Amino acid sequence: MKRHVLLLALGLSSATAFAQGQAAPQGRAAQQPAATMPGATIAKGNAKISGVVLDADTKSPVEFATVALVSVATGKPVDGTMADEKGRFTIQKVGAGNYKLLVSFIGYEQKTLAAFTVKSDNDDVNLGSITLTSSAQKLTEVVVTGDKPLVEEKIDRTVYNAEKDITNAGGNAADVLQKVPSLSLDNDGNVQLRGSSNVRVLINNKPSAIMAGSIADALKQIPADQIKSVEVITSPSAKYDAEGTAGIINIITKKDGGLQGVTGSVALTAGTRASNGNASVNVRRGKLGINANIGAHTFYNKGDMTNVTAAPGYVTPSVDRRVTSQSGDTQINGRFLNGQFGFDYDFTPKNTLSGSIRSNGGRFNMENDQQQLVTKGGVEDAVNTYATDIQNRNERFGTDYNLDFVHTFAKPQQELTLLSQYSVTDADTRNNQDRYYTNEAPFYLQRNNNDGGNKELTFQVDYVHPFQNKQLMEIGAKSIFRDVTSDAVYSKDDRGDEKGGDMRFDYGQNVYASYVTYGFAIRKKLNVKLGTRYEYTDISGDYNRTENNGPEEVKNYKDDYDNLIPSVALSYTIKDKHTIKANYTQRIQRPSLNYLNPFRQDQAPGTVVRGNPGLDAELTNLYELGYSSYFTKGSVSTSLYMRQTDNAIETVPEYEQETNSTVLTFDNVAVNKTYGISLFGSVMPVKAWTIGGSSNIYYVDLKSKDYANNGWMYNINANSSYNFGKGFSAQFNGGFNSKRIQLQGNFASFSYHSLAFKKELFGGKGGLSLGLDNPFRKSMKMEIDVNALEYEQHIRINNYNRGAKVTFNYSFGKMEQQRPPRRKKTIRNDDAKQGEGNGLQ
């Protein structure tokens, strides 16, 4: 333990010392120019030209904009460069003379700066802010400037601009994510990236306490109206935590971009399936900026289901085969509150301190009235044929505390960042079951109470150092300290036979990491980024259980392991419009409490969920080859990918004969190989009409000692929007997900579609929207089949998800740009396998 704390300390001190040792004197060194353009004649000198490229409407940085330096005398380009992630650029080694600047980026109109003069070979010319205007149509009554497309393909990620999709109004984060290319969600809201649930979901580049348990439940707590965009990162570099074998999903919420003044917004939604309201305000005066938001969300839904489980016969299957048939109606509702308060303060133009507090909490309720019929050899088993009333309640409250410091140096892109975060989550889960025969009092009462907590403390330091000729090095270190607890009390009264017990599970996980990446360009067009990350994981667990006042059962778990994770990323640009990318990396997937908690959760008659504290971390090799291109009226991108995991964690259903139950647990039982292709495209047939779509087609091969399954899967998404003018617009979004191949069967296919109509009000400051969810069908039918060695199970679900909603939104205030917006550096804890699992109990 001590040696790894020392390792972390050395990493932190080395990064800081390197930063201090390499800091350039004020005005001395700057970003190096891109390779010289073909045929150009460079005027020799030591002068430099700098500036920052901003969006004309939002005043946010235009990342990676192309900047060309043109000689007035010859009319030919003599040098050029690319803006960094903050829109900043510097061209060095310029000789005295008269020049003009051409600035361009896909989706914006090219801008030519008037001629200016470099007076001497040692001159320092700062051109200040250069704004680019969107190439979108300017309508008669509504001027659209700086308008982003619905989906953007960037160098290392896909960005879905949720605020541009009016069908999201009044929904939640689950509604938003199902529309993002390469993502899919099942009917319960569990998210998958390219067919894998091994993802890490971040909020504003940070882990959040709200995601510590079930992601499906957490996504329902985040109002869609607060989401600005969603980023999908499929091949993270060594700078990111090595967890999340499929990649990272980053939800960006709406906030100010470093603007002076006061602004805010309110939104209210009333609907047949969900209603919500939220408000936000941003204030910036001088060096201090403050932002806050608060929201409330409630949802309600219903469905019905049948579940037929056929167990093997005890003697002869054809005679003694036992069949359990369950059917019932389900009512689901929930209500949640969320709030956030943040600040940032610029001590100097190069030193910024920021902090925030974000809280989410609420209750999820599910009631199920279920009928059960059991037959043995075709004859009804009257004792086990009964009705059950089931009540599930899950209360959860989580808070994140952040305090960060950023120092920028004189040299562009050189930056030192110190980050800290403390997250805490409390959960309270209740499961009550009453079983009874028709017109009789209950003969069986079951009460499961489970209180849990999750605490996580993170420290991180990152340093970025640019070198000549577009070379860039990143170095950093990080530590994560996790403490998870679960206290459970359960009781059963079966016809006077009372049983009960209690259980406590304490789980600790500490991760120490350091990384280095190095990026450079070869012959102007080929960009290379190499990286390696070292992680050491220390795990301990204590399990105590007492049943029926008997002796205490005690188990202890302890493990530690280290990993050295490489990453390689290549990109080659052709004629500034075509990009080819290739990536390789390894990813780790440590099981979270969802999969580890050994508490036996009797969710319904015949259905039990139990975690496995003996799970090992998964190790996955990820390969990707991609191509993207932009043209006048649209864009297209595609990626080929392969994932291979040799010890994949899979759900393992087991039939428990003595209780006639299906026990769902988890184990490292499978080899998982996935081969796929993802496609995305968008086009504007006319200036007011946009059509877009994406698809993900992949082949999965699953193998374990006892089972094997393979097959093709796919998901498709289509969207279209039309601007009628005078503030009227309409949008459609729809998708289909094929059946999912699982180790012992397959999970249901499903589809969705939505329509929205919007009228802008108050000169574009407000709007009124009508949204329709799945208007062309009454319910969504789903089929789930499991074929195990000891039993087979067939589940049929009807989800009544047709709905309508009306949303009103209004924005107020006026802001003025006073300084270039500073990209906020944040913690990314991308390192725990998440999913439905056994939940944070």
Side-chain angles (χ1 to χ4, degrees), residues 215-232:
I215 292 182
D217 291 344
L219 294 176
K220 296 172 184 175
Q221 300 182 35
I222 305 174
D225 298 311
Q226 292 185 4
I227 299 176
K228 179 180 180 181
S229 62
V230 178
E231 300 177 343
V232 178

Side-chain angles (χ1 to χ4, degrees), residues 506-647:
D506 293 310
Y507 179 76
Q509 182 189 87
N510 299 329
V511 181
Y512 308 91
S514 59
Y515 73 89
V516 61
T517 71
Y518 181 65
F520 57 94
I522 301 176
R523 294 189 176 182
K524 313 169 190 176
K525 301 286 186 179
L526 179 62
N527 293 304
V528 181
K529 190 170 187 177
L530 307 176
T532 185
R533 184 181 186 90
Y534 172 78
E535 293 192 352
Y536 171 77
T537 306
D538 185 21
I539 296 173
S540 62
D542 297 307
Y543 174 63
N544 303 77
R545 179 178 178 179
T546 302
E547 188 168 334
N548 300 323
N549 297 318
E552 183 179 27
E553 176 187 1
V554 179
K555 292 183 180 180
N556 303 111
Y557 306 90
K558 191 170 182 61
D559 193 13
D560 65 271
Y561 52 87
D562 54 5
N563 301 92
L564 190 64
I565 306 298
S567 66
V568 180
L570 308 173
S571 67
Y572 185 78
T573 303
I574 305 171
K575 296 182 179 179
D576 295 328
K577 290 186 178 181
H578 309 276
T579 302
I580 300 173
K581 298 185 294 184
N583 297 279
Y584 165 74
T585 187
Q586 280 188 343
R587 307 292 291 166
I588 306 170
Q589 198 69 56
R590 300 181 186 90
S592 65
L593 183 66
N594 300 330
Y595 295 86
L596 298 167
N597 192 350
F599 177 63
R600 180 186 175 99
Q601 180 71 47
D602 294 306
Q603 293 190 333
T607 303
V608 177
V609 178
R610 184 183 65 226
N612 178 6
L615 289 173
D616 294 325
E618 298 176 341
L619 184 63
T620 297
N621 290 296
L622 176 62
Y623 307 84
E624 183 174 5
L625 179 64
Y627 167 79
S628 61
S629 179
Y630 298 88
F631 44 94
T632 304
K633 293 186 177 182
S635 63
V636 63
S637 65
T638 181
S639 294
L640 296 169
Y641 62 90
M642 184 184 81
R643 292 192 305 265
Q644 179 173 332
T645 306
D646 292 330
N647 60 338

Side-chain angles (χ1 to χ4, degrees), residues 316-595:
T316 305
S318 61
V319 177
D320 292 339
R321 186 173 177 83
R322 182 187 182 97
V323 179
T324 301
S325 300
Q326 297 169 325
S327 62
D329 298 323
T330 302
Q331 301 287 334
I332 300 173
N333 65 79
R335 54 185 184 272
F336 307 102
L337 294 172
N338 62 84
Q340 182 265 339
F341 175 83
F343 78 92
D344 61 86
Y345 183 78
D346 297 331
F347 291 101
T348 69
K350 297 185 181 297
N351 295 283
T352 299
L353 180 71
S354 61
S356 66
I357 301 175
R358 174 184 294 273
S359 293
N360 295 78
R363 173 186 288 191
F364 175 83
N365 301 300
M366 183 179 71
E367 297 183 359
N368 181 255
D369 299 325
Q370 191 176 104
Q371 300 289 327
Q372 175 171 295
L373 171 65
V374 177
T375 62
K376 182 179 178 182
V379 178
E380 179 180 340
D381 181 352
V383 174
N384 289 300
T385 297
Y386 48 78
T388 306
D389 290 339
I390 303 171
Q391 292 183 336
N392 287 311
R393 190 200 74 188
N394 189 338
E395 291 185 347
R396 185 181 303 273
F397 184 82
T399 304
D400 303 323
Y401 305 89
N402 294 275
L403 187 63
D404 309 324
F405 174 78
V406 179
H407 173 71
T408 57
F409 296 81
K411 182 183 293 186
Q413 293 186 288
Q414 186 181 8
E415 193 168 69
L416 176 66
T417 308
L418 304 175
L419 309 173
S420 63
Q421 176 173 277
Y422 179 66
S423 299
V424 57
T425 301
D426 293 312
D428 180 3
T429 301
R430 300 287 185 264
N431 175 274
N432 298 336
Q433 297 183 34
D434 295 351
R435 302 177 188 175
Y436 57 92
Y437 298 115
T438 304
N439 299 323
E440 294 186 11
F443 66 85
Y444 176 95
L445 302 176
Q446 176 181 297
R447 302 292 182 262
N448 289 350
N449 301 333
N450 201 338
D451 297 330
N454 184 92
K455 297 178 181 179
E456 188 171 294
L457 178 63
T458 304
F459 298 104
Q460 180 176 332
V461 58
D462 299 300
Y463 174 68
V464 182
H465 188 86
F467 296 95
Q468 294 183 355
N469 301 322
K470 293 186 67 176
Q471 301 176 73
L472 190 71
M473 183 184 71
E474 298 173 299
I475 186 172
K478 183 176 185 178
S479 61
I480 308 173
F481 306 96
R482 293 191 176 98
D483 183 16
V484 184
T485 61
S486 175
D487 287 295
V489 178
Y490 59 96
S491 63
K492 298 179 182 179
D493 184 346
D494 188 353
R495 300 177 178 87
D497 182 13
E498 297 183 6
K499 296 181 180 180
D502 58 79
M503 184 216 74
R504 181 177 177 85
F505 183 54
D506 293 310
Y507 179 76
Q509 182 189 87
N510 299 329
V511 181
Y512 308 91
S514 59
Y515 73 89
V516 61
T517 71
Y518 181 65
F520 57 94
I522 301 176
R523 294 189 176 182
K524 313 169 190 176
K525 301 286 186 179
L526 179 62
N527 293 304
V528 181
K529 190 170 187 177
L530 307 176
T532 185
R533 184 181 186 90
Y534 172 78
E535 293 192 352
Y536 171 77
T537 306
D538 185 21
I539 296 173
S540 62
D542 297 307
Y543 174 63
N544 303 77
R545 179 178 178 179
T546 302
E547 188 168 334
N548 300 323
N549 297 318
E552 183 179 27
E553 176 187 1
V554 179
K555 292 183 180 180
N556 303 111
Y557 306 90
K558 191 170 182 61
D559 193 13
D560 65 271
Y561 52 87
D562 54 5
N563 301 92
L564 190 64
I565 306 298
S567 66
V568 180
L570 308 173
S571 67
Y572 185 78
T573 303
I574 305 171
K575 296 182 179 179
D576 295 328
K577 290 186 178 181
H578 309 276
T579 302
I580 300 173
K581 298 185 294 184
N583 297 279
Y584 165 74
T585 187
Q586 280 188 343
R587 307 292 291 166
I588 306 170
Q589 198 69 56
R590 300 181 186 90
S592 65
L593 183 66
N594 300 330
Y595 295 86

Side-chain angles (χ1 to χ4, degrees), residues 721-743:
S721 63
Y722 194 88
N723 195 322
F724 297 96
K726 297 185 178 180
F728 287 95
S729 60
Q731 198 156 15
F732 166 83
N733 196 295
F736 178 81
N737 291 265
S738 69
K739 286 189 176 182
R740 294 211 311 264
I741 303 297
Q742 297 183 320
L743 189 61

Side-chain angles (χ1 to χ4, degrees), residues 54-293:
L54 303 176
D55 185 295
D57 181 56
T58 66
K59 298 302 186 289
S60 59
V62 179
E63 302 177 12
F64 312 117
T66 301
V67 182
L69 182 65
V70 178
S71 169
V72 173
T74 65
K76 295 181 179 181
V78 296
D79 205 349
T81 189
M82 180 181 291
D84 63 17
E85 61 183 13
K86 297 181 179 180
R88 302 176 304 191
F89 69 89
T90 301
I91 302 175
Q92 293 201 56
K93 297 183 179 179
V94 179
N98 296 322
Y99 301 93
K100 60 182 179 179
L101 216 61
L102 301 181
V103 185
S104 61
F105 191 68
I106 300 299
Y108 292 89
E109 296 178 356
Q110 179 174 287
K111 185 164 188 175
T112 302
L113 265 69
F116 58 92
T117 301
V118 175
K119 298 178 181 179
S120 69
D121 288 347
N122 295 310
D123 201 2
D124 187 347
V125 180
N126 189 337
L127 299 175
S129 297
I130 303 169
T131 57
L132 295 185
T133 302
S134 168
S135 57
Q137 178 189 19
K138 296 183 179 180
L139 303 175
T140 303
E141 297 191 20
V142 181
V143 179
V144 182
T145 59
D147 203 18
K148 294 183 179 180
L150 187 62
V151 179
E152 297 177 277
E153 284 289 340
K154 294 194 175 183
I155 289 177
D156 62 343
R157 66 196 66 196
T158 298
V159 180
Y160 168 76
N161 292 303
E163 62 183 346
K164 300 300 179 183
D165 191 341
I166 62 176
T167 64
N168 290 326
N172 57 42
D175 301 320
V176 174
L177 262 60
Q178 71 177 355
K179 303 171 187 177
V180 180
S182 299
L183 298 187
S184 61
L185 279 80
D186 62 22
N187 189 52
D188 295 322
N190 300 306
V191 64
Q192 289 194 331
L193 171 54
R194 290 177 172 175
S196 173
S197 59
N198 294 341
V199 298
R200 182 62 164 167
V201 180
L202 308 177
I203 299 177
N204 296 326
N205 297 303
K206 298 182 179 183
S208 174
I210 189 179
M211 298 292 176
S214 167
I215 292 182
D217 291 344
L219 294 176
K220 296 172 184 175
Q221 300 182 35
I222 305 174
D225 298 311
Q226 292 185 4
I227 299 176
K228 179 180 180 181
S229 62
V230 178
E231 300 177 343
V232 178
I233 308 171
T234 54
S235 297
S237 71
K239 185 175 182 178
Y240 292 85
D241 293 337
E243 287 263 359
T245 56
I248 296 168
I249 300 170
N250 186 24
I251 299 173
I252 305 296
T253 58
K254 297 176 182 178
K255 52 186 181 295
D256 80 283
L259 302 173
Q260 294 287 334
V262 179
T263 189
S265 64
V266 293
L268 298 171
T269 297
T272 59
R273 294 179 56 231
S275 298
N276 63 62
N278 58 80
S280 65
V281 63
N282 299 285
V283 180
R284 176 166 291 280
R285 298 296 185 191
K287 297 181 178 181
L288 178 65
I290 296 175
N291 59 87
N293 63 66

